[in-house]
């Protein structure tokens, strides 16, 4: 009798479990999400927002913990895709830069002076190229849920205003440890030093490097870059989109209802994050640049002649990396950019 009651009870629990859309027991207690920067930056905060939305809307079934400051890969930011594919990180909110040494076509976004404005970027990621990239990631075991943004990377330094490539000559500039950045800086006459983001912040403090390049609202303002560097040049040399992703096996372990919740939460969190980091950077609202000035920075904007000089000096880098990325993808992107103008 007791045995029978137990059997019925087990059956009941199983039926309720299925009706509720799967066994909660199939789910892990914690899902790990990787982010390269700290929790206070809009990038890190975007990941937290996503995790919060998912937790709320799944009534706690899916509990995502955000591991900031590259902690899941011991500081080595260019290893992020590898640990994602292996399932160490179930989710990521990742810069294309940090994955581009592993997934070569992502260097598309690192091509110097290639994306002229935000419209161009939006046209590309929302169009066919965005789909191609999603397909490519999917083949590698990862689903792209939404695009967020780090932003245009603008150069700061402690030495002098950079108005032409000649001003950059010999300057020691910290870049991410991925080849195209080293080559671009060398083509411009600078002396690039690759460093993980965690070490870079110490290097700025100690004056080990003269300069660095990062987005204004997403990074330079939150880290108060004016403490170390007095000069900034708005040169829009590289755009840095962020990808909110999930490991395919992890995604497949969720019920269709929960998958839909995850997709929707990703779109909302990424759209919000993207709006935050663009604020104050698009005319007529250039308040982010005013904030830099009010903190003592000299903001240099490039003349058309200087823009051409920077563009011409990096032609060889664009040429070489077009082959590495894939000429077809670069051409498709160039067409989408032209159509967006
Ligand atoms: O390391 C950087 O410069 C950062 C934080 O912007 C990236 O992760 C690409």
């Amino acid at each position: 009798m007791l045995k029978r009651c137990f059997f019925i009870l087990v059956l009941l629990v199983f039926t309720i479990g299925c009706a509720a859309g799967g066994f909660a027991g199939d789910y892990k207690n914690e899902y790990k999400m990787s982010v390269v920067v700290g929790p206070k930056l809009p990038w890190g905060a975007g990941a937290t927002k996503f995790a919060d939305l998912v937790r709320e809307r799944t009534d706690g079934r899916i509990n995502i913990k955000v591991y900031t400051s590259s902690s899941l890969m011991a500081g080595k930011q260019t290893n992020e895709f590898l640990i994602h594919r292996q399932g160490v990180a179930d989710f990521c909110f990742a810069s294309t830069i940090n994955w581009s040494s592993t997934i070569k076509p992502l260097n598309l976004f690192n091509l110097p002076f290639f994306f002229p404005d935000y419209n161009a970027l939006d046209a590309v990621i929302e169009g066919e190229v965005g789909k191609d990239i999603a397909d490519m990631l999917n083949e590698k075991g990862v689903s792209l849920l939404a695009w967020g943004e780090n932003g245009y990377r603008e150069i700061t330094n402690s030495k002098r205003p950079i108005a032409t490539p000649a001003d950059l000559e010999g300057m020691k500039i910290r870049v991410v440890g991925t080849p195209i950045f080293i080559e671009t800086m060398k083509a411009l006459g600078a002396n690039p030093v690759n460093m993980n983001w965690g070490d870079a912040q110490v290097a700025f403090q100690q004056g080990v490097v003269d300069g660095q390049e990062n987005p204004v609202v997403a990074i330079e303002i939150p880290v108060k870059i004016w403490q170390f560097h007095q000069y900034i040049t708005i040169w829009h040399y590289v755009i840095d989109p962020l990808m909110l992703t999930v490991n395919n096996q992890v995604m497949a372990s969720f019920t269709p209802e929960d998958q839909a919740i995850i997709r929707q939460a990703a779109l909302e969190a990424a759209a919000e994050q993207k709006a935050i980091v663009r604020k104050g950077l698009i005319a007529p609202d250039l308040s982010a640049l005013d904030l830099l000035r009010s903190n003592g920075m000299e903001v240099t904007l490039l003349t058309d002649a200087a823009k051409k000089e920077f563009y011409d000096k990096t032609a060889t880098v664009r040429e070489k990396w077009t082959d590495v990325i894939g000429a077809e993808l670069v051409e498709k992107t160039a067409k989408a950019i032209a159509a967006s103008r």
Side-chain angles (χ1 to χ4, degrees):
M1 178 63 184
L2 240 176
K3 233 182 184 173
R4 205 158 143 201
C5 276
F6 180 71
F7 179 72
I8 290 171
L9 191 73
V10 168
L11 200 72
L12 204 70
V13 169
F14 179 78
T15 314
I16 292 170
C18 289
F23 266 139
D26 285 341
Y27 287 12
K28 294 195 269 187
N29 289 334
E30 180 193 290
Y31 292 90
K32 293 181 167 57
M33 181 159 192
S34 174
V35 178
V36 163
V37 298
K40 292 200 185 116
L41 273 58
W43 177 356
T48 306
K49 173 76 192 237
F50 166 70
D52 289 346
L53 286 176
V54 171
R55 192 177 306 105
E56 268 164 43
R57 293 176 184 176
T58 60
D59 297 319
R61 279 192 302 285
I62 300 176
N63 174 37
I64 301 169
K65 184 169 173 200
V66 180
Y67 287 78
T68 53
S69 308
S70 308
S71 51
L72 286 180
M73 49 271 181
K76 197 158 184 339
Q77 64 199 77
T78 51
N79 277 354
E80 193 176 44
F81 179 70
L82 298 174
I83 64 140
H84 192 25
R85 190 160 59 179
Q86 287 161 1
V88 175
D90 302 298
F91 293 86
C92 287
F93 198 20
S95 162
T96 47
I97 295 174
N98 294 322
W99 291 15
S100 65
S101 41
T102 324
I103 307 175
K104 298 286 185 265
L106 289 180
N107 281 289
L108 177 67
F109 300 102
N110 304 338
L111 282 176
F113 304 101
F114 193 69
F115 286 85
D117 53 32
Y118 293 105
N119 274 346
L121 172 69
D122 290 342
V124 168
I125 57 181
E126 285 160 19
E128 238 185 273
V129 173
K131 276 202 212 91
D132 290 350
I133 290 173
D135 289 346
M136 182 182 71
L137 292 174
N138 196 32
E139 276 169 28
K140 295 185 186 295
V142 162
S143 297
L144 177 61
L145 301 170
W147 290 99
E149 191 156 293
N150 202 12
Y152 273 110
R153 300 179 71 88
E154 317 292 10
I155 192 163
T156 68
N157 83 91
S158 60
K159 296 284 181 209
R160 56 186 171 263
I162 300 170
T164 69
D167 300 320
L168 192 53
E169 191 68 41
M171 260 193 215
K172 217 167 160 185
I173 305 293
R174 176 269 168 178
V175 290
V176 182
T178 166
I180 191 171
F181 282 87
I182 307 270
E183 289 172 29
T184 299
M185 284 298 168
K186 281 191 177 155
L188 291 172
N191 175 11
V193 184
N194 73 54
M195 224 176 257
N196 286 312
W197 175 238
D199 302 330
Q201 293 171 82
V202 181
F204 305 154
Q205 216 158 20
Q206 297 177 342
V208 173
V209 291
D210 303 320
Q212 63 89 45
E213 41 73 70
N214 252 301
V216 173
V217 173
I219 307 263
E220 291 171 344
I221 290 176
V223 305
K224 300 192 171 74
I225 200 74
W226 49 81
Q227 301 172 98
F228 323 114
H229 301 156
Q230 194 195 333
Y231 305 102
I232 181 165
T233 299
I234 305 301
W235 63 347
H236 275 25
Y237 93 125
V238 162
I239 186 69
D240 184 3
L242 301 178
M243 305 167 293
L244 207 161
T245 61
V246 57
N247 175 292
N248 282 347
Q249 281 172 355
V250 174
M251 190 62 157
S253 74
F254 298 136
T255 63
E257 292 79 3
D258 286 345
Q259 290 183 13
I261 290 173
I262 286 171
R263 286 187 189 285
Q264 183 59 28
L267 290 173
E268 288 175 32
E272 187 185 290
Q273 186 273 340
K274 190 165 159 173
I276 289 170
V277 300
R278 284 188 184 185
K279 201 158 181 302
L281 288 175
I282 302 173
D285 174 15
L286 293 173
S287 53
L289 302 187
D290 292 336
L291 183 69
L292 298 175
R293 289 189 189 100
S294 70
N295 281 289
M297 291 188 86
E298 186 173 331
V299 179
T300 302
L301 306 172
L302 297 183
T303 61
D304 286 343
K307 275 183 201 163
K308 185 170 182 317
E309 231 185 298
F310 279 106
Y311 186 82
D312 290 348
K313 279 218 158 202
T314 48
T316 48
V317 179
R318 281 189 303 277
E319 251 165 58
K320 174 187 160 184
W321 284 85
T322 292
D323 290 342
V324 180
I325 294 160
E328 206 184 313
L329 188 67
V330 175
E331 206 171 294
K332 213 188 244 188
T333 306
K335 278 194 186 137
I337 292 173
S340 76
R341 316 235 62 204

